[in-house]
Amino acid sequence: MQDFMMLKDEALLRRLNEKGFTTPTPIQTQLLPLIVDGKDVLSQAETGSGKTLAFLLPVLDRLNFDANDPSVLILTPTRELALQIEGVVKDIAVYKRLKPVTVIGDMSYEAQEVQLKQKSHLVIGTPGRVLDLMSKGTIKRKNINTLIIDEVDHLFDRGFAETIEDIISLLPYDRQNIYTSATMSDELEPFIQETLVEPVRVTIEPKNQQVFDQIRVDVDPYDKIETVVDVLVEEDVAEAIIFCEEKRTVDEVADELSDLGIPVVRLHGDLKQPVRIKALKQFKEKHRPILVTTNLMARGMDLIDLPLVINFDLAYTEDVFTHRMGRTGRMGKKGKVVHLLAPDERASYETMKESLSFHDRELTYPQREQDDTKQYVKMLGRQKKVETNDSVTTLYFNGGKEKKLRAFDFVGTISSLPGMDFNDIGAVTVYPRHTTVEILNGKAEAVLKQMKQTKVKKKQLKVHIDRDTHL
């Protein structure tokens, strides 16, 4: 198969074409026909291989907007990965108007319940919150015919095995199971044998070594932050991720870079979920294109064209080491990884290098001048916002259930505006005191202008672009 024509849905194919996805990656070539045929699948592929679309496309292809209850459940090891998959679904299935609901901890329980009581097609979440809502009947499970567990190995590493088994016990027996895993271990095998029915195993051999350049920099531990700035300025990259092992190190590095005027965001487990979501948004849209983070971000962030990863601290396991590197050099794009090695890290690094069989080169970065740093900061400041979805804008209305408003009221009003029809409206979510409406096909500006003088069910509502949909 040289393209995605085995998919049937014209709306899905249209969006793939717009995004420039014309040739499947190896994992997509192998998984798509298996999932279309309804097989249970266990896939093993490195990060950046296109596995998310590999398991999503055939599932999205068969979903129907007219369905009211979810038929797909996706479990992830981290909140960030759940939100990442939600974003991919909204983007790729925009013309199908499919509605994913993401249920994760540290976010409003009530808001998630509101969304689950309305039309939804997929539920995406972390095991703890999913089990909680499923046990209470808030997640309607009778129509769930597809279970996807992304990074099942990581879920087991984090101690979710029992929770996942409890979730599976509540699901319909007759369903398709799709598991992905970056690594395989003997501990996973009993679970796989017990929950998958005659699974087809698909393994794509790693190729990361061929798509990014690895640089070793031997450095005094007290000079690491200075060296980070030297690397950023010399490489002159528009965005980068800097990995640290500890949360306090993240704060120290971020503070130092901020003092130099470098637009940086920090991300670690002590930050509340809304703050983490906002940080990711700022990074992705290049408002603050330098991200300093812990291993929290080694998985679950889909980045294309990220030019540079800096390992401020050496990862302590091969698994994390590999996933950090996988943030760059994705989907065949060229990237670079710079390892800053203090004396006490060098032996461990050499062991990993031998075990993972990668090549590197030693380099000493020149110390930058003050004017060099200023020029670099100016360059970052000129970066334009990158729209993560060029066809969808979410509008916020200050009225919801408490004003007796329903999704139908918004759809009817907006679709009757000049130049609009039903196909220009995406997901509508009615909360107690507000409503969000996705406007498609680049028509949001026109709708926004008209709705400021148009009533919904005889009520004049305030309306604006919802720039922080998740907050």
Side-chain angles (χ1 to χ4, degrees):
M1 183 181 65
Q2 298 301 316
D3 53 33
F4 294 103
M5 292 309 294
M6 75 176 314
L7 302 175
K8 306 298 183 186
D9 194 280
E10 290 297 328
L12 206 58
L13 292 169
R14 171 188 171 190
R15 185 59 178 156
L16 287 172
N17 186 61
E18 285 182 353
K19 300 288 289 184
F21 297 150
T22 56
T23 304
T25 65
I27 188 67
Q28 292 163 4
T29 298
Q30 293 199 40
L31 280 193
L32 260 64
L34 295 173
I35 297 175
V36 167
D37 288 344
K39 305 286 188 182
D40 277 11
V41 175
L42 174 65
S43 70
Q44 185 178 353
E46 64 183 341
T47 183
S49 61
K51 68 176 177 65
T52 303
L53 280 184
F55 64 71
L56 277 181
L57 285 175
V59 171
L60 297 176
D61 189 56
R62 64 193 183 214
L63 290 180
N64 192 319
F65 171 79
D66 295 332
N68 289 315
D69 296 333
S71 59
V72 179
L73 173 63
I74 304 176
L75 299 177
T76 71
T78 66
R79 300 162 183 173
E80 282 70 29
L81 183 52
L83 292 167
Q84 176 67 48
I85 293 173
E86 177 197 26
V88 175
V89 171
K90 286 184 173 181
D91 188 5
I92 295 299
V94 60
Y95 297 127
K96 295 195 68 171
R97 302 189 301 280
L98 298 178
K99 183 179 176 182
V101 177
T102 300
V103 294
I104 55 179
D106 202 21
M107 292 189 70
S108 171
Y109 195 99
E110 291 74 17
Q112 292 171 6
E113 286 187 313
V114 167
Q115 293 188 64
L116 288 166
K117 289 177 181 177
Q118 301 180 50
K119 175 192 284 288
S120 59
H121 302 95
L122 308 91
V123 175
I124 308 164
T126 46
R129 182 60 64 92
V130 167
L131 179 60
D132 187 14
L133 292 167
M134 189 175 285
S135 299
K136 295 178 179 178
T138 309
I139 293 177
K140 300 169 185 175
R141 49 194 169 90
K142 66 177 181 178
N143 292 330
I144 293 179
N145 56 33
T146 306
L147 170 65
I148 299 171
I149 305 182
D150 196 12
E151 300 196 351
V152 63
D153 54 327
H154 194 34
L155 277 163
F156 270 66
D157 290 343
R158 300 189 65 185
F160 284 119
E162 186 174 339
T163 306
I164 295 172
E165 290 169 355
D166 289 342
I167 291 171
I168 289 176
S169 71
L170 297 174
L171 294 175
Y173 179 77
D174 187 16
R175 65 178 187 276
Q176 182 179 21
N177 302 290
I178 303 164
Y179 298 171
T180 79
S181 181
T183 58
M184 287 299 300
S185 65
D186 293 338
E187 288 78 9
L188 271 179
E189 199 59 38
F191 173 75
I192 291 167
Q193 293 291 338
E194 184 177 335
T195 58
L196 297 182
V197 179
E198 298 181 353
V200 180
R201 300 180 185 238
V202 175
T203 301
I204 303 296
E205 294 301 323
K207 294 182 179 179
N208 265 346
Q209 296 95 317
Q210 302 172 15
V211 294
F212 54 71
D213 183 20
Q214 295 202 56
I215 295 174
R216 167 187 176 146
V217 181
D218 291 336
V219 63
D220 187 288
Y222 297 104
D223 294 335
K224 275 194 173 184
I225 294 180
E226 290 290 320
T227 306
V228 165
V229 182
D230 294 339
V231 173
L232 290 173
V233 172
E234 181 67 19
E235 295 293 346
D236 199 33
V237 290
E239 57 186 325
I241 296 181
I242 302 164
F243 282 111
C244 307
E245 275 296 310
E246 297 181 357
K247 291 173 279 190
R248 62 182 178 85
T249 309
V250 168
D251 289 331
E252 290 171 4
V253 175
D255 288 343
E256 290 282 350
L257 296 182
S258 295
D259 288 345
L260 292 172
I262 295 174
V264 63
V265 290
R266 69 193 73 199
L267 197 61
H268 57 64
D270 282 352
L271 301 175
K272 293 292 186 181
Q273 191 65 32
V275 176
R276 285 153 67 171
I277 294 171
K278 188 171 184 179
L280 282 175
K281 183 179 177 67
Q282 290 176 320
F283 176 65
K284 283 191 170 185
E285 296 181 349
K286 293 190 180 181
H287 293 306
R288 295 179 176 273
I290 307 300
L291 173 63
V292 187
T293 183
T294 58
N295 295 322
L296 175 75
M297 286 308 305
R299 294 178 184 251
M301 189 173 186
D302 191 14
L303 301 168
I304 297 176
D305 295 335
L306 179 72
L308 178 65
V309 165
I310 299 176
N311 282 321
F312 188 88
D313 298 313
L314 180 67
Y316 285 102
T317 69
E318 290 183 7
D319 185 42
V320 172
F321 186 91
T322 301
H323 281 284
R324 282 185 183 184
M325 293 190 297
R327 297 307 96 197
T328 188
R330 296 170 71 85
M331 302 294 285
K333 302 292 185 178
K334 189 71 174 177
K336 183 174 290 185
V337 181
V338 176
H339 308 281
L340 305 185
L341 300 177
D344 62 351
E345 296 173 309
R346 293 167 192 170
S348 297
Y349 174 82
E350 291 296 338
T351 300
M352 288 189 188
K353 178 180 174 181
E354 182 178 357
S355 177
L356 297 172
S357 300
F358 65 82
H359 301 285
D360 64 4
R361 58 190 176 97
E362 288 191 42
L363 190 63
T364 299
Y365 281 86
Q367 292 185 344
R368 85 284 175 200
E369 301 293 334
Q370 188 174 12
D371 286 346
D372 295 332
T373 305
K374 289 181 179 179
Q375 289 300 316
Y376 179 65
V377 171
K378 285 183 180 179
M379 183 275 289
L380 293 178
R382 292 194 296 268
Q383 297 302 306
K384 294 181 179 179
K385 175 180 176 181
V386 175
E387 296 291 344
T388 55
N389 190 326
D390 54 2
S391 297
V392 185
T393 301
T394 302
L395 298 185
Y396 176 103
F397 294 84
N398 73 329
K401 289 187 175 183
E402 292 183 2
K403 292 185 178 180
K404 310 297 184 184
L405 295 172
R406 303 166 298 171
F408 177 81
D409 299 318
F410 288 91
V411 172
T413 301
I414 295 172
S415 62
S416 65
L417 296 174
M420 292 291 293
D421 63 34
F422 180 74
N423 293 321
D424 296 319
I425 303 172
V428 179
T429 304
V430 184
Y431 297 91
R433 297 180 182 177
H434 74 278
T435 299
T436 58
V437 182
E438 291 180 351
I439 305 299
L440 315 183
N441 303 319
K443 296 185 178 181
E445 187 175 343
V447 172
L448 178 63
K449 183 176 180 180
Q450 293 181 75
M451 286 307 299
K452 288 183 177 180
Q453 286 84 37
T454 304
K455 295 181 179 181
V456 180
K457 203 176 180 181
K458 300 182 179 180
K459 299 176 177 67
Q460 184 63 62
L461 304 176
K462 293 181 180 179
V463 56
H464 60 77
I465 293 176
D466 185 18
R467 300 195 182 278
D468 294 304
T469 305
H470 295 296
L471 301 184

